[in-house]
Amino acid sequence: MARAAAAKASRVHEEPAFVLHRHDWSESSLILEVFSRHHGRVALVAKGVKRPTSQFRSVLLALWPLRLSWGGATEVRTLKAAHWPGGQLLPPGEALLAGYYLNELLLKLLAREDPHPALFDHYAQALALLAAGAPQAGVLRAFELLLLGELGWLPALDHDSASLQPLQPERRYQLQAQGGLHEVAAPDGGQHEGLDGVLAQEQMQERVQGRVQEEGRASLNAPAAAAGADFATASCSADYWLALHAALQTGAVWPALLPLCQQDRSGALRRQLRAALHYHSGVREFQTRRWAQQVQRLAGHRVALPG
């Protein structure tokens, strides 16, 4: 009786969810890693899904909003039903890589069965924006900020973490994974003006690092070395951090945050967030970034690199 009651209590019906990853379990079945709104990241076995007659065969796609039902009291639950409720479509073209990058972040950073309903909504919004053709870089930076904030790894962006004093106008600050925001000297020795923090010297450094990356891709250590060099030159103005802080406090966070993230033309915010995500995930380079680099080489033209 107790076992039956536990199994009944563990049944979930019509749960909003997305498939993050899938891999073979047997000749006819798959193991799914899904991100659900009320149960967090959950592992499911989809039995017989690879058979031509399976009703799940054309439904269990990544980046597609689903309604899933499952049961079981073990770590890997059993998928019972799945359907697409309609509405949102898959991101097109290169935006697919951006969507897979978001999936990789969730797989690397979320613990299983740790619900984050607000983060689920932000993820769904990010995918909807990518499917609608919104600028990928802005969407990714906004989601990275929201992800770090939801998991408790984003410090207050209106204070210097070392002195606990408010950010000072016309000064520059760097986001450090372990230490929060710290004031740094402008590369040219003076103060920098402008919301998006674009310095001529910083842009020159970025171009140099780009050439170094192109020439040294054969080395396994090149990506990590280049990322470290990029981070060393990355910082943003106090005005920019304060604007991001204010946007994160609003109720309608995406309309306020997305335009600000699109202003990161120098890539300074991207490099600082990348360093924080690498630190907290424990990886040196995200697989989806490597995929994008391979696509770029095969296609012969520039492809937006996630992360």
Side-chain angles (χ1 to χ4, degrees):
M1 292 291 293
R3 182 177 297 179
K8 184 176 180 180
S10 65
R11 292 173 186 168
V12 175
H13 298 280
E14 295 288 313
E15 170 71 4
F18 290 86
V19 174
L20 299 179
H21 183 67
R22 44 188 271 176
H23 60 268
D24 293 337
W25 183 57
S26 68
E27 290 185 0
S28 62
S29 303
L30 293 172
I31 295 291
L32 308 175
E33 289 282 354
V34 306
F35 182 35
S36 65
R37 192 176 194 278
H38 302 103
H39 300 271
R41 186 164 70 89
V42 181
L44 304 176
V45 56
K47 295 181 179 179
V49 71
K50 293 193 287 185
R51 295 184 183 133
T53 57
S54 172
Q55 61 176 328
F56 301 150
R57 188 178 179 87
S58 61
V59 174
L60 297 175
L61 302 176
L63 312 180
W64 215 1
L66 299 172
R67 293 291 186 271
L68 303 180
S69 301
W70 65 80
T74 60
E75 182 179 358
V76 180
R77 316 297 171 81
T78 301
L79 181 68
K80 301 295 186 181
H83 71 273
W84 175 54
Q88 184 174 316
L89 300 176
L90 293 175
E94 294 178 5
L96 274 174
L97 283 173
Y100 290 141
Y101 169 69
L102 299 185
N103 285 2
E104 186 174 10
L105 290 181
L106 296 176
L107 285 168
K108 292 290 195 302
L109 295 170
L110 292 185
R112 278 192 179 156
E113 301 190 34
D114 183 16
H116 291 278
L119 181 61
F120 180 91
D121 294 341
H122 291 319
Y123 172 76
Q125 180 64 39
L127 292 185
L129 288 167
L130 291 174
Q136 296 174 35
V139 173
L140 297 185
R141 298 298 82 74
F143 183 78
E144 289 167 350
L145 283 166
L146 292 166
L147 173 62
L148 290 170
E150 176 68 21
L151 298 182
W153 295 328
L154 188 70
L157 301 182
D158 60 343
H159 283 74
D160 185 314
S161 298
S163 65
L164 301 182
Q165 296 299 312
L167 302 189
Q168 299 300 307
E170 299 185 358
R171 296 186 183 179
R172 299 184 63 77
Y173 296 84
Q174 185 180 73
L175 177 64
Q176 300 177 4
Q178 293 178 283
L181 284 183
H182 288 267
E183 183 181 352
V184 296
D188 57 1
Q191 301 299 326
H192 176 71
E193 298 178 356
L195 185 60
D196 52 350
V198 182
L199 291 171
Q201 185 169 342
E202 184 172 306
Q203 290 174 326
M204 178 64 74
Q205 178 70 17
E206 188 173 20
R207 288 195 294 271
V208 170
Q209 290 300 328
R211 289 196 295 271
V212 169
Q213 290 179 358
E214 288 296 331
E215 295 170 1
R217 290 194 193 282
S219 169
L220 293 176
N221 295 325
D230 279 347
F231 175 71
T233 63
S235 64
C236 298
S237 67
D239 289 342
Y240 192 43
W241 288 122
L242 291 171
L244 290 172
H245 175 79
L248 289 167
Q249 309 310 308
T250 62
V253 63
W254 277 96
L257 188 60
L258 187 58
L260 290 171
C261 291
Q262 291 172 359
Q263 295 180 25
D264 181 41
R265 301 183 186 92
S266 71
L269 179 64
R270 171 179 56 80
R271 296 196 294 276
Q272 292 169 87
L273 293 178
R274 186 200 307 173
L277 292 166
H278 283 180
Y279 174 80
H280 290 297
S281 66
V283 301
R284 296 175 62 184
E285 184 180 21
F286 291 111
Q287 182 67 40
T288 41
R289 181 174 175 83
R290 197 173 302 129
W291 292 346
Q293 290 171 341
Q294 293 171 355
V295 170
Q296 183 169 276
R297 287 196 295 270
L298 291 172
H301 63 82
R302 183 175 178 81
V303 173
L305 299 180

